[in-house]
Amino acid sequence: MLKFQRYFLHGSGYFRHFSDSIWRPFMKAPARSSAILFFFLFLFIGAFLSTRLLDSATSLPTTSVEKPILPTGTAHKPFKIPKKPPVKIEYPLNCSAGNLTRTCPRNYPTAFSPEDPDRPSPPECPHYFRWIYGDLRPWMKSGITREMVERAKRTATFKLVILNGRAYVEKYQRAFQTRDVFTLWGILQLLRRYPGKVPDLELMFDCVDWPVIQSNEYRGPNATAPPPLFRYCGDDATLDIVFPDWSFWGWPEINIKPWESLLKDLKEGNKRSRWMEREPYAYWKGNPAVAATRLDLLKCNVSDKQDWNARVYTQDWILESQEGYKQSDLASQCIHRYKIYIEGSAWSVSQKYILACDSVTLLVKPHYYDFFTRSLMPVHHYWPIREDDKCRSIKFAVDWGNRHKQKAQSIGKAASDFIQEDLKMDNVYDYMFHLLNEYAKLLKFKPTVPEKAVELCSERMGCGAEGLKKKFMMESMVKYPMDASPCTMPPPFSPLELQTFLNRKVNSIKQVEAWEKKFWENQNT
């Protein structure tokens, strides 16, 4: 470029002719005029040269050395101005006006579309969501009529109606403790989390433990469709629709925190003692009076004559409540390598607390399931224990685990990871959302508000609450609408997939029973 400029300024005949023609007329002008003319002439020549130089530069070939140097990635990643995080719309609980404990605000949002187009697609829901299709299969062909829903009233605790994003409840009977209260509270929080997205529906809910819709009563060519009834657990002989239990939002009667807070406590509790440093025994603490199988478990406790590797304790909830629940802190009970889960009168909410503990869950053969436990795999998430020979089965499990510490530790870790990730509160809400959506698709009638129903909202339930009930409601209240869509439903099981999965579970249990049998045969010889 410099060589070119020297040629242009000094060697070009064109330039000499141009300068002569400019200067010659003014050579004899007065000095003052010459100065003025010289100034304007300087500006003119400067502009002319700049233009010529720019034009000539753009016409010259550019060598590799002369290529402009750009910031790394400029050619492929254009600079974007970072977006401000979306402003969250908070739903405060307005208890300032006394009448809000009796009526619900009119300004509740009924629609919300927060999706960011740049946000990644929502992840696929956990495996246990696939059981939703099976739970609703009895009505896939027939659909659900109002008559079917009304037939479930015989044992229902309440009817729930969701209409235009608002909840209405007609109660039929009282529930044990606050089961119905915190179940309804949880549904209200779902509506706050996804305003306007839960479809209109009517359903019956039973807060008693035992499932009652017997499948054998609805078989055969002339059988009627079963009444759809929601509850907390089911079994292989019934058709009740399982739903997350009340304790996810707190259980004030025994001072169990809402699940989101409790999960954090359990995670911190696991860090207090490494698995290898924990007591090498199986631990259980609970109320044995609710079921014969739990009374049978007491026989496995350590005695002067026999040590079955079990440490079993009776929980006196009346005494605990009087002493402020000092001995029932769940996060402080993860100090044994093994923890026993055994059903009570039916399924027990304690299963999720035990699985979260990093200890190996010794699961006495269950008869009931809740919404997530059907996806647990023996020898991966838990160790199966025989129901008809508990003590010997527990002793073998503990002996096996203490001989195979790495494998036993991995079983405990797989269970706690499942609880912390797949059963976090986001997924509990999304399970509720998808279950209610799939259920609403089957309704063949337009939901309406019953004459005796009352509208429920967080103000109506929370403002007048007291004590632990109030504390847990405030702690578990959804304060913002979700800024993303629910997780994506996985497809239903194909017949082959379902059979393969069930066979794997059965074969895993049979393998453990074979090991156990061989162990005791060797002991006897």
Side-chain angles (χ1 to χ4, degrees), residues 25-234:
F26 300 102
M27 291 296 290
K28 298 179 181 180
R32 185 175 179 182
S33 300
S34 299
I36 295 172
L37 291 171
F38 180 84
F39 174 75
F40 283 105
L41 181 63
F42 178 80
L43 291 179
F44 178 79
I45 294 172
F48 176 81
L49 289 176
S50 299
T51 303
R52 293 293 297 173
L53 286 170
L54 285 173
D55 292 343
S56 302
T58 56
S59 65
L60 290 174
T62 305
T63 65
S64 58
V65 177
E66 295 169 334
K67 287 182 179 179
I69 300 174
L70 300 176
T72 303
T74 301
H76 304 289
K77 296 180 181 179
F79 177 75
K80 287 187 177 181
I81 299 174
K83 292 183 178 180
K84 293 182 179 180
V87 179
K88 289 188 175 182
I89 304 172
E90 185 172 358
Y91 299 160
L93 193 70
N94 186 359
C95 298
S96 59
N99 68 341
L100 287 182
T101 62
R102 297 185 295 274
T103 60
C104 295
R106 294 292 97 192
N107 59 349
Y108 266 8
T110 57
F112 188 65
S113 301
E115 287 83 359
D116 183 348
D118 295 331
R119 180 185 293 274
S121 300
E124 185 173 281
C125 304
H127 181 272
Y128 62 84
F129 280 60
R130 302 180 80 177
W131 299 101
I132 288 175
Y133 303 107
D135 287 349
L136 297 176
R137 185 168 290 115
W139 302 277
M140 288 295 183
K141 291 183 180 179
S142 65
I144 297 174
T145 65
R146 186 183 297 278
E147 184 271 335
M148 293 178 192
V149 173
E150 291 301 320
R151 277 195 282 122
K153 183 178 177 179
R154 180 174 58 88
T155 64
T157 307
F158 61 81
K159 174 192 275 190
L160 169 71
V161 176
I162 296 176
L163 201 60
N164 299 321
R166 305 177 79 91
Y168 305 85
V169 176
E170 182 179 9
K171 291 193 175 183
Y172 302 126
Q173 52 188 310
R174 294 191 63 180
F176 178 65
Q177 296 181 339
T178 51
R179 290 185 176 197
D180 57 340
V181 172
F182 278 88
T183 298
L184 290 167
W185 176 260
I187 293 169
L188 291 177
Q189 303 321 301
L190 175 69
L191 298 180
R192 289 169 68 92
R193 181 182 175 92
Y194 295 123
K197 291 189 175 182
V198 180
D200 295 351
L201 57 84
E202 287 185 32
L203 63 81
M204 295 288 186
F205 204 108
D206 190 343
C207 295
V208 177
D209 282 340
W210 311 280
V212 297
I213 309 299
Q214 300 296 321
S215 58
N216 60 7
E217 297 179 5
Y218 302 96
R219 292 176 183 160
N222 299 320
T224 59
L229 181 62
F230 286 71
R231 71 170 64 253
Y232 309 120
C233 71

Side-chain angles (χ1 to χ4, degrees), residues 350-370:
S350 65
Q351 188 167 9
K352 58 182 177 288
Y353 310 133
I354 293 171
L355 288 164
C357 222
D358 266 2
S359 305
V360 180
T361 298
L362 306 185
L363 198 151
V364 180
K365 182 181 178 180
H367 296 274
Y368 302 91
Y369 55 77
D370 66 8

